[in-house]
Amino acid sequence: MNYITKILALNKQARILFVENTNLIHEVCSNQNTNRLLKTLLARTVSCASSLTGLLKDNHRISLRISASKRDYKVYADVDAEGNVRGFISDELLNAHGEGISPFTVEQIIGDKGCIQLTNDIGMNSIITGITDMPYRNIVDDISHYYAQSEQTPTWISTYIVFNEQDQIELSRAVLVQLLPGSPITLQHQIRRRITDHKALFFDATNKEIMKQLPFTLFDDAELLENKPIQLFCGCSKEMFYSMLYGLGKEEISNAYISGSTIEFACNVCGNKYLYHPEELKNLL
Ligand SMILES: [Zn+2]
């Protein structure tokens, strides 16, 4: 359903990843009760992050953090080599959607002091973090900018996101182009042009397999490296919500126990619900 098709093309000089993640991004955005602007921020961040899973091996994980000029407005995404993807918006930004930020564009929210932090955890306690500014203020080009600045690997990502009239994700796809060492940088422009010229095909919602076919339509010498499934995976558990339960205070927990009611928490990353029944609340007290 969600997958990456990874190819080598143009005399094996470029690695190109075609990503179908409509269901994943739809789900990520549906789990957070928010508006189109915040869903766009989340969808772009998580879609870019999901395409990065195609570059990971073994225990390698990447955490991406987008911070807007207003520093507590943040969007997070985490991915690993198994194709597990998750993403969420900071509480401050989620709460801001009632504060009249709706008319803003993504560029206005990011502002002139936005920054990207990318943490590479390659296992064996080896963690590398890089930070760059966001000159494009649109997240997607800023992530490409991050790779040029911090990792010195020419990388270009493009996302294709469509909302329906109810502000739900109707289509989400992405493409990632990375040149192999020694390839001329002009090659990237050539690949970008070819992808941009065929942009309409990325928006073909009727064909769910198109991201498996497109690589071979666009590049004559495309060589399939892998087809890899990707999926939303949060990793939350009931134990993780105990701190929120304690946060309610003794009186509220005791009231719930006395009245025989169940306390419920929903994870705002994956939508899972965790219930604490009166018997558990009694043990806690
Ligand atoms: Zn969760």
Side-chain angles (χ1 to χ4, degrees):
M1 212 158 31
N2 303 294
Y3 60 85
I4 297 178
T5 305
K6 183 172 165 185
I7 62 158
L8 269 184
L10 296 131
N11 292 320
K12 304 185 196 292
Q13 294 182 99
R15 207 183 268 140
I16 312 175
L17 281 60
F18 291 76
V19 185
E20 164 63 65
N21 59 19
T22 302
N23 286 82
L24 195 160
I25 299 297
H26 176 91
E27 211 178 327
V28 167
C29 289
S30 311
N31 288 334
Q32 309 220 323
N33 174 28
T34 179
N35 63 2
R36 186 181 287 215
L37 170 65
L38 298 193
K39 281 182 182 173
T40 305
L41 291 166
L42 184 63
R44 286 186 190 176
T45 306
V46 179
S47 187
C48 288
S50 77
S51 67
L52 296 174
T53 66
L55 302 173
L56 307 182
K57 271 186 240 147
D58 306 324
N59 297 324
H60 193 167
R61 308 174 56 89
I62 285 181
S63 296
L64 186 61
R65 193 183 75 192
I66 308 293
S67 306
S69 294
K70 197 167 180 328
R71 277 292 179 256
D72 47 7
Y73 287 4
K74 290 181 167 51
V75 185
Y76 301 89
D78 300 300
V79 298
D80 67 19
E82 306 290 312
N84 294 316
V85 177
R86 65 174 202 156
F88 54 99
I89 296 173
S90 69
D91 288 341
E92 290 80 2
L93 182 53
L94 266 184
N95 296 335
H97 98 97
E99 293 167 10
I101 61 164
S102 303
F104 289 0
T105 62
V106 168
E107 286 72 14
Q108 286 168 325
I109 285 285
I110 299 295
D112 59 356
K113 292 186 185 65
C115 74
I116 287 185
Q117 180 182 312
L118 195 146
T119 302
N120 266 297
D121 178 349
I122 51 176
M124 314 281 279
N125 295 322
S126 177
I127 295 174
I128 305 154
T129 298
I131 298 178
T132 55
D133 57 347
M134 297 180 67
Y136 299 95
R137 306 183 190 188
N138 67 16
I139 299 175
V140 183
D141 292 325
D142 296 305
I143 293 173
S144 303
H145 170 75
Y146 171 90
Y147 272 86
Q149 295 287 313
S150 288
E151 317 236 336
Q152 275 113 45
T153 317
T155 303
W156 176 69
I157 305 181
S158 182
T159 57
Y160 309 88
I161 296 168
V162 180
F163 284 90
N164 66 16
E165 290 186 353
Q166 287 77 44
D167 288 344
Q168 287 166 329
I169 298 284
E170 194 161 88
L171 178 140
S172 173
R173 287 169 183 159
V175 63
L176 182 151
V177 178
Q178 194 165 65
L179 298 189
L180 298 184
S183 309
I185 189 77
T186 49
L187 193 68
Q188 189 172 318
H189 304 301
Q190 192 187 328
I191 299 171
R192 282 176 68 160
R193 202 175 316 119
R194 194 164 317 169
I195 288 171
T196 311
D197 287 347
H198 293 82
K199 201 173 159 184
L201 293 172
F202 288 86
F203 289 102
D204 179 0
T206 59
N207 185 354
K208 304 273 184 237
E209 299 293 302
I210 194 149
M211 301 304 269
K212 287 181 180 156
Q213 301 152 356
L214 211 46
F216 304 94
T217 313
L218 296 189
F219 302 99
D220 294 337
D221 68 346
E223 184 186 315
L224 181 67
L225 292 177
E226 71 173 330
N227 261 313
K228 174 177 178 166
I230 51 176
Q231 58 282 327
L232 177 63
F233 176 75
C234 178
C236 66
S237 67
K238 190 167 180 177
E239 286 66 35
M240 287 165 65
F241 286 85
Y242 271 112
S243 62
M244 285 179 76
L245 186 62
Y246 293 136
L248 292 177
K250 197 170 176 182
E251 198 181 328
E252 195 164 334
I253 296 173
S254 140
N255 286 342
Y257 167 63
I258 293 163
S259 65
S261 31
T262 296
I263 295 180
E264 177 184 310
F265 290 105
C267 173
N268 67 6
V269 177
C270 64
N272 269 353
K273 289 192 168 64
Y274 296 99
L275 302 174
Y276 299 86
H277 298 286
E279 201 52 36
E280 289 168 272
L281 299 176
K282 182 187 164 193
N283 293 337
L284 210 65
L285 288 163

